[in-house]
Amino acid sequence: MPRIAALIVSGGSGTRAGGGLPKQYRRLAGIPVLRRSIDAFRACPQISRVQVVIGAGHEAEFEQATAGAPIAPPVPGGETRQDSVGRGLAALANVNPDFVLIHDAARPLVSQRIIESVIAELRSGAQAVVPLLPVPDSLRRLGDDGVGPSVPRDGLCRAQTPQGFPYQLIRSVHERFVGQAASDDVTLAELAGMRIVAVAGEEANFKVTTAADFNFAERLLAGASETRTGAGFDVHRFVAGDHVWLCGVRIPHDRCLEGHSDADAGLHALTDAILGALAAGDIGEYFPPSEERWRGAPSRLFLEHAAELVRNIGGAIVHCDVTMICEWPKLAPHRDAMRASIAEILGLDISRISVKATTTEGLGFTGRGEGLAAQAIATIRMPA
Ligand code: MG
């Protein structure tokens, strides 16, 4: 079996997609773009090593995006994409793979079919492999004074990644053409006189750059997923004290809530809602009140664990709606803090988190102030 490595180039710092983060660290349907690219190559059993090249100062973002994925430490990139690829290739020297597939992190929807067809061409002797797509639209050149002449599109194609090469060959080509401007690696291969072989690219393997691209990619992903809803409910009793924890926020009150953990009924209901959407049991199975280590535990641990279960199956939490039921404390002033707290714990935008508060008109145990209840609904998207 040939040894095959994937080199993922993630050095860009483009923030045109919004969100203030370089686009490869922005979440696409709940999962960072870079993580989706990494997972696509990790899912290919023929690939034994995934090496990522990152931009300067993006170490923390990389750590966060690759949490839970056993992956080699990243290589710091260079000034240009070409420099970055050169550094990544050098970092693979100790692995010395037979073949390397070089991929742009910003193409997170690359399919197993493309990856496997590039590998198949390499295994049958190709020196340089590129996924190509025809250009369906008419082309026109823009001049200084407006729309210029049409450009014949016959025979024109768009080049995608991953581009595949024998490792030693592309490494020597990169060393030979240091400083030579080239927009991708087959262009260097071409300069070196290597014969280029094409495989079929895919429309879905586009480069995600703008906010509109993110929206389009999310719609494509939604078409390949199913939506699940789960409900959760929790009650805790009031006892003597001076504060309560609700939805991860410490709220001063003349009582506190009794419980084995911090008794945060809001987070408990939401954790159960997410577990319910996964059909993965309930909070008590993961964090039994009989276990001493959960005494006084912050309930965010429970919610973080449920969110991790969603991520582990390639799913994403789409929306959470929590309703707190009590007469006191009055929760309206704390609603936005509670939303922000849940958004932070789940790593979601606050627009996906709803927290509401209601009373039972003085009726029942909440009406008598004996305790407080919370209910929650979580919507998740998971691979179909
Ligand atoms: Mg509870």
Side-chain angles (χ1 to χ4, degrees), residues 124-149:
S124 34
Q127 292 189 324
V129 187
V130 58
L132 292 182
L133 262 189
V135 177
D137 301 316
S138 296
L139 297 178
R140 203 158 273 280
R141 191 176 299 282
L142 276 183
D144 290 338
D145 44 351
V147 179

Side-chain angles (χ1 to χ4, degrees), residues 303-350:
L303 186 57
E304 281 167 356
H305 183 74
E308 191 183 329
L309 293 178
V310 175
R311 278 196 300 275
N312 286 349
I313 56 156
I317 299 168
V318 176
H319 182 256
C320 301
D321 186 14
V322 181
T323 302
M324 306 299 308
I325 305 163
C326 60
E327 302 288 333
W328 300 96
K330 287 298 171 201
L331 295 178
H334 305 286
R335 235 169 56 175
D336 284 340
M338 293 194 283
R339 292 176 67 209
S341 157
I342 293 171
E344 183 267 322
I345 294 168
L346 295 176
L348 293 178
D349 192 89
I350 196 168

Side-chain angles (χ1 to χ4, degrees), residues 228-233 268-283 286 306 309-310 376-380 382:
R228 297 269 199 97
T229 304
F233 179 75
H268 294 180
L270 182 54
T271 301
D272 258 353
I274 294 169
L275 294 175
L278 290 170
D282 64 41
I283 191 170
Y286 296 88
L309 293 178
V310 175
I377 291 178
T379 306
I380 68 172
M382 54 196 267

Side-chain angles (χ1 to χ4, degrees), residues 187-209:
T187 304
L188 289 183
E190 178 191 0
L191 287 173
M194 289 156 64
R195 200 173 71 83
I196 298 169
V197 172
V199 298
E202 290 174 10
E203 290 292 347
N205 186 29
F206 67 103
K207 206 183 249 187
V208 178
T209 304

Side-chain angles (χ1 to χ4, degrees), residues 12-26 58 209-211 214:
S13 54
T15 53
R16 266 195 290 164
L21 275 176
K23 62 187 177 187
Q24 62 272 33
Y25 298 108
R26 274 202 59 190
H58 292 162
T209 304
T210 63
F214 271 82

Side-chain angles (χ1 to χ4, degrees), residues 346-361:
L346 295 176
L348 293 178
D349 192 89
I350 196 168
S351 64
R352 295 181 185 273
I353 311 293
S354 160
V355 174
K356 311 193 296 297
T358 188
T359 72
T360 49
E361 300 288 340

Side-chain angles (χ1 to χ4, degrees), residues 68-319:
I71 182 168
V75 176
E79 282 287 294
T80 64
R81 180 186 184 280
Q82 202 172 330
D83 294 340
S84 295
V85 173
R87 290 182 188 206
L89 290 171
L92 286 170
N94 61 336
V95 181
N96 192 23
D98 297 290
F99 303 124
V100 61
L101 274 60
I102 304 173
H103 185 66
D104 292 325
R107 297 182 189 273
L109 303 187
V110 59
S111 69
Q112 293 301 306
R113 188 204 60 77
I114 292 185
I115 294 172
E116 281 167 13
S117 55
V118 171
I119 291 173
E121 290 294 347
L122 290 171
R123 293 183 72 162
S124 34
Q127 292 189 324
V129 187
V130 58
L132 292 182
L133 262 189
V135 177
D137 301 316
S138 296
L139 297 178
R140 203 158 273 280
R141 191 176 299 282
L142 276 183
D144 290 338
D145 44 351
V147 179
S150 69
V151 177
R153 71 176 173 209
D154 293 350
L156 285 185
C157 283
R158 292 173 283 160
Q160 299 186 327
T161 68
Q163 299 178 356
F165 311 89
Y167 169 69
Q168 289 296 347
L169 195 55
I170 192 65
R171 199 177 165 204
S172 65
V173 167
H174 262 270
E175 283 169 358
R176 183 172 150 202
F177 290 104
V178 166
Q180 170 92 42
S183 59
D184 63 359
D185 301 287
V186 283
T187 304
L188 289 183
E190 178 191 0
L191 287 173
M194 289 156 64
R195 200 173 71 83
I196 298 169
V197 172
V199 298
E202 290 174 10
E203 290 292 347
N205 186 29
F206 67 103
K207 206 183 249 187
V208 178
T209 304
T210 63
D213 294 336
F214 271 82
N215 287 337
F216 183 58
E218 294 221 340
R219 286 207 300 279
L220 285 178
L221 284 168
S225 66
E226 66 180 48
T227 301
R228 297 269 199 97
T229 304
F233 179 75
D234 195 32
V235 169
H236 281 267
R237 179 193 301 273
F238 281 122
V239 292
D242 62 4
H243 71 277
V244 293
W245 282 97
L246 292 175
C247 300
V249 177
R250 189 184 193 278
I251 297 171
H253 188 44
D254 59 2
R255 326 283 305 272
C256 81
L257 290 167
E258 184 180 47
H260 185 65
S261 64
D262 65 6
D264 188 330
L267 293 190
H268 294 180
L270 182 54
T271 301
D272 258 353
I274 294 169
L275 294 175
L278 290 170
D282 64 41
I283 191 170
E285 289 175 36
Y286 296 88
F287 307 99
S290 54
E291 285 188 16
E292 193 52 35
R293 60 185 167 139
W294 306 122
R295 181 177 297 283
S299 296
R300 66 174 293 145
L301 295 178
F302 311 156
L303 186 57
E304 281 167 356
H305 183 74
E308 191 183 329
L309 293 178
V310 175
R311 278 196 300 275
N312 286 349
I313 56 156
I317 299 168
V318 176
H319 182 256

